Each structure stands twice: as C-alpha cells, then as structure tokens.
Amino acid sequence: EIVLTQSPATLSLSPGERATLSCRASQSVSSQLAWYQQKPGQAPRLLIYDASNRATGITDRFSGSGSGTDFTLTISRLEPEDFAVYYCQQRSSWPPTFGQGTKLEIK
Amino acid sequence: EVQLVESGGGLVQPGGSLRFSCAASGFTFSTHGLSWVRQAPGKGLEWVSGINSGGSTFYADSVKGRFTISRDNSKNTLYLQMDSLRAEDTALYYCAKGRYSVYGPFDSWGQGTLVTVSS
C-alpha cells in the first residue's frame, strides 16, 4: 500500500501568516491526491482534489500543488477558522490511504 | 444540498456484530460510489470499505472477511454489516461520497456513528 507521510506533524503559526503543509507518497500517485480539513468534533471536509483543484465553496486562500510523490497545501493568509488538522489522501491505487495528519495550531 | 446521515452505532462485545446505515439525499444516489472511513479515538483517518455504482465491493485487508458493505438504491441507503468485531474496530465510522469513485476524493461526509467494541 502507498504510505503518505505528512510534515510537519504540528505547525504553529499566527493569523495572517502563510502556512505550507507537505505530503510525500512512498510511490507515485500521479495527481490523484486530495486534501481535507478536520476541526474538532466535525467530519473531514474536502479542500483540494486532484492535487490542485479547489472543491466547491473553498476559498482561494487554499491552494494545492505537486505531482508524483511530493505535494503541498498552502494557506496564503491564515484566518482563525483555518486552525485545524489537515489530511492528504491518495486514490491512485488500492487501498486508498490517508496521511497521518498535520495539526495547524495558533502560535 | 448533499446529506449523509449515519445511524446504528453502539456498544458491542468482542466477537459480536453490528449493522449500521447511511441515509443519503441531495444527489443521484445510484450513480455514485460510496465508502466507509473510520477514525479511532484521537487517531487519523482509515478507509474501510467501498461500493461502486455497479455494486462491486472493496475492503481494506483489516476488515476483509468480517465486514460486508451493501447499498439499496431504492432507499438511497448504504449499509455496513460488521461481524467478528475486535477492540481495534472501535472508531467513529463516517459514510463518504466519492466524487469520482469509491477511492475518493470524498466530497461529502456524514457526521459519523460511533462503534465501541468492549466487554
């Protein structure tokens, strides 16, 4: 199975700063990678699919890039509501797998 | 608006069984793949099982032979039958709609139903 490794495990930033989250795959997933946001007590929410496409209703402060094995989620100017856990997920091969998550916390 | 509403979770003893469902609305149920994704307490997300629009089923190795996914397109409902439950199956189980396939990306999620396996 494809292992997704997210870094850093925890990212401490202040509102207004730029956040850069990384996801590395153990083998190529082409562009078949998605990013999700999960807040405490809530279900995950799709942010980005196919590496760089924003899901419906997602602000353009969120952007995704990468292909193959290295991917990045960028949040351009952090708002208070952006502090959450972020997961990447690949659908390139069975079984679909998730990264272990990056917790974005307020500094 | 897409809605996915799970029901049927609860407390069950090791070795026991549980069946829960996910009622869907707001989209053409029969044409979409659906999956179950679980999250153990304080842990990350794990894909468990999926069923495509044609009824083909897919399972993670950790549940193969113990869990059975099914769908009833006439009722817009997804099911998961869980047998031979283990303590490590304790988790919040989410129903998720695949944008393209049962493998994701998952563009809508239910609120989750909690399964606790304990004696």
Side-chain angles (χ1 to χ4, degrees):
Chain A
E1 90 179 31
I2 294 176
V3 176
L4 299 178
T5 302
Q6 293 187 239
S7 60
T10 303
L11 185 58
S12 300
L13 293 170
S14 301
E17 290 191 294
R18 179 187 186 94
T20 302
L21 287 67
S22 174
C23 178
R24 176 164 290 179
S26 59
Q27 63 190 77
S28 177
V29 299
S30 184
S31 295
Q32 297 181 15
L33 188 108
W35 290 93
Y36 301 85
Q37 177 193 66
Q38 187 177 34
K39 297 179 181 179
Q42 296 185 16
R45 178 173 69 145
L46 178 65
L47 299 174
I48 301 288
Y49 64 95
D50 292 351
S52 61
N53 296 294
R54 272 187 298 276
T56 303
I58 302 302
T59 171
D60 60 6
R61 293 187 297 102
F62 289 90
S63 63
S65 63
S67 66
T69 61
D70 290 298
F71 299 86
T72 301
L73 174 70
T74 302
I75 311 172
S76 59
R77 297 172 309 279
L78 286 167
E79 298 284 346
E81 62 268 25
D82 298 334
F83 293 91
V85 179
Y86 292 83
Y87 294 96
C88 56
Q89 180 247 327
Q90 66 81 20
R91 64 179 180 90
S92 174
S93 69
W94 179 91
T97 49
F98 292 85
Q100 83 282 10
T102 289
K103 181 180 181 181
L104 178 57
E105 63 177 25
I106 299 177
K107 187 174 182 180
Chain B
E1 178 194 4
V2 173
Q3 285 200 323
L4 299 169
V5 180
E6 300 97 335
S7 60
L11 174 65
V12 62
Q13 292 188 337
S17 298
L18 200 61
R19 183 187 194 229
F20 47 80
S21 60
C22 170
S25 61
F27 65 101
T28 307
F29 183 83
S30 61
T31 63
H32 284 269
L34 297 153
S35 284
W36 291 99
V37 177
R38 68 185 179 184
Q39 187 169 36
K43 301 298 183 182
L45 301 167
E46 179 190 15
W47 178 85
V48 172
S49 179
I51 184 167
N52 67 16
S53 57
S56 295
T57 58
F58 307 86
Y59 299 94
D61 279 345
S62 58
V63 307
K64 195 174 295 182
R66 300 189 299 121
F67 290 11
T68 303
I69 190 172
S70 61
R71 63 191 296 163
D72 185 337
N73 291 338
S74 69
K75 296 182 178 179
N76 286 0
T77 301
L78 176 72
Y79 302 98
L80 187 66
Q81 173 70 39
M82 307 166 67
D83 299 318
S84 303
L85 282 161
R86 306 166 180 167
E88 54 265 35
D89 296 318
T90 294
L92 188 62
Y93 284 74
Y94 292 104
C95 167
K97 169 181 163 289
R99 181 182 176 93
Y100 299 138
S101 79
V102 297
Y103 291 178
F106 304 111
D107 59 5
S108 296
W109 297 65
Q111 82 288 352
T113 189
L114 183 62
V115 173
T116 303
V117 184
S118 175
S119 55

